[in-house]
Amino acid sequence: MPVGTSSSVGLLHAEVQQFYARHMHLLDAGDGEGWARTFTENGSFAPPSLPEPVVGREALAAGVNKAAAALAEAGEVHRHLLSMVAVEERADGTLGVRSYAQIVATPRGGSPRLHLMCVCEDVLERVDGELKVRERRVTRDDLHP
Amino acid sequence: MPVGTSSSVGLLHAEVQQFYARHMHLLDAGDGEGWARTFTENGSFAPPSLPEPVVGREALAAGVNKAAAALAEAGEVHRHLLSMVAVEERADGTLGVRSYAQIVATPRGGSPRLHLMCVCEDVLERVDGELKVRERRVTRDDLHP
Amino acid sequence: MPVGTSSSVGLLHAEVQQFYARHMHLLDAGDGEGWARTFTENGSFAPPSLPEPVVGREALAAGVNKAAAALAEAGEVHRHLLSMVAVEERADGTLGVRSYAQIVATPRGGSPRLHLMCVCEDVLERVDGELKVRERRVTRDDLHP
């Protein structure tokens, strides 16, 4: 099911990859506010660890800052690696993006481990020319039914 | 060895990435028929585990459906993550693509593990505007000579 | 902070991905000379394992050839997988690229393991139309402060 000419598919896909690279660098650097600005104002994130989605930039930033403090305390670095990013243009102008997420954890002085393997389903929206996450749902492979 | 203008290289590379993302989502979802349609009609796949290549959509689909049933039985999810995708345009109009494939396995309730590390060598062909796999050879790093 | 139109961002990003795929294939194949030619003539590489950067193609090639011989001796294959590649166009025409690097090690007959998790910071330059690494700094997550 082609979603446009091969050129437009390619261009959009590459722009989305660039978006996610910066987005994950901000997350892994523990920059809650910077990361939250890559969501829309009312962006939501439904992580596998919480019963309700986190909604809005303030709450999104607070969650990251808290997690970053806990990791620093534990002496561990986490990296979020998205791969197999499939982008679908929707009729309403948003992008549906499905990808895999490896979360790699490395303790200070220790070996890295593949901490979690997840699937990430995003709705991206263009705001003033820039891509933003409007909605994210993440599921963990170890919790599959 | 540049294979075109920098623009055409980029466009094609991004389109190939998008192709593989959908291709692997179908595989990991256990959708044998959907996955087989991303091969040419007589597409072939030489996996490291079999003495002969699997040829044709029917056989390709059957292999995936069987593997999916075994994984469901075992309560394990597998993900195929391609990376370092190098695309080369060939004189006959096909694309030679070399990439790395991580296969990540996650048991229900357990930790993910890097199950296999492989090299994937594909010949892609454009059929009615869409990329298809004509030929695939996969080698496992643990079985290197 | 957009660095150009969305089209130019996408094109450049995809070209950079293609560049790194070939670059890492050369490295992992132990082709020291081929790999060194993807650096500028005076390109430098500051790996986490050495007190001083390696400078110039001859030294870069020698380092790879030596490492490849040691891996062959040990019966181990290493793969370098870059991900989350963020490309920034700089005013001087170079590209600043930040990415994550997984180094996967697989012993002959054994299971693959995530050997190291690193961050790679490159300055890329275009020489006669082709991208080259002018400068690389790599840091290991396990050695974070």
Side-chain angles (χ1 to χ4, degrees), chain C:
Chain C
M1 184 182 50
V3 295
T5 69
S6 59
S7 296
S8 72
V9 170
L11 274 179
L12 190 59
H13 188 269
E15 186 191 358
V16 168
Q17 295 264 29
Q18 168 83 351
F19 169 76
Y20 280 123
R22 290 182 178 168
H23 175 81
M24 292 306 179
H25 291 180
L26 290 165
L27 173 61
D28 295 334
D31 180 353
E33 284 69 23
W35 185 71
R37 281 193 295 271
T38 63
F39 283 78
T40 60
E41 300 249 357
N42 293 305
S44 73
F45 171 31
S49 50
L50 295 177
E52 296 288 329
V54 179
V55 180
R57 287 179 178 165
E58 199 173 335
L60 289 164
V64 168
N65 293 337
K66 190 178 160 189
L71 285 173
E73 181 75 23
E76 204 162 88
V77 175
H78 280 198
R79 303 287 180 195
H80 291 74
L81 283 58
L82 285 196
S83 57
M84 307 323 290
V85 175
V87 182
E88 191 192 348
E89 289 188 86
R90 295 181 172 175
D92 66 359
T94 63
L95 304 178
V97 186
R98 188 174 190 272
S99 64
Y100 294 160
Q102 291 173 289
I103 303 177
V104 174
T106 309
R108 190 182 294 120
S111 290
R113 68 179 189 280
L114 181 51
H115 178 56
L116 289 176
M117 185 74 222
C118 300
V119 172
C120 181
E121 294 182 288
D122 279 358
V123 178
L124 302 185
E125 191 183 329
R126 201 177 289 278
V127 180
D128 296 336
E130 289 187 47
L131 295 174
K132 304 280 181 187
V133 181
R134 179 198 283 189
E135 198 184 316
R136 166 168 300 167
R137 285 179 304 149
V138 173
T139 52
R140 282 166 51 171
D141 278 2
D142 58 314
L143 303 179
H144 69 274

Side-chain angles (χ1 to χ4, degrees), chain B residues 17-69:
Chain B
Q17 295 265 29
Q18 168 83 353
F19 169 76
Y20 280 123
R22 290 183 177 167
H23 175 80
M24 292 305 179
H25 290 179
L26 290 166
L27 174 61
D28 296 333
D31 181 352
E33 284 70 23
W35 185 71
R37 281 193 294 272
T38 64
F39 283 78
T40 59
E41 300 249 358
N42 293 305
S44 73
F45 171 31
S49 49
L50 295 176
E52 296 288 329
V54 180
V55 181
R57 287 180 178 164
E58 199 173 336
L60 290 163
V64 168
N65 292 337
K66 190 179 160 190

Side-chain angles (χ1 to χ4, degrees), chain B residues 1-3 6-7 9-11 13-14 83-87 98-100 102 114-117 119 141-142 144-145, chain C residues 11 14-15 17-18 20-22 24-25 28 75 77 79-82 102 104 106-110 112 126 130:
Chain B
M1 184 182 50
V3 296
S6 58
S7 296
V9 170
L11 274 179
H13 189 268
S83 57
M84 308 323 288
V85 175
V87 181
R98 187 174 190 273
S99 63
Y100 295 159
Q102 292 173 287
L114 182 51
H115 178 56
L116 289 176
M117 185 75 223
V119 173
D141 278 1
D142 58 315
H144 69 275
Chain C
L11 274 179
E15 186 191 358
Q17 295 264 29
Q18 168 83 351
Y20 280 123
R22 290 182 178 168
M24 292 306 179
H25 291 180
D28 295 334
V77 175
R79 303 287 180 195
H80 291 74
L81 283 58
L82 285 196
Q102 291 173 289
V104 174
T106 309
R108 190 182 294 120
R126 201 177 289 278
E130 289 187 47

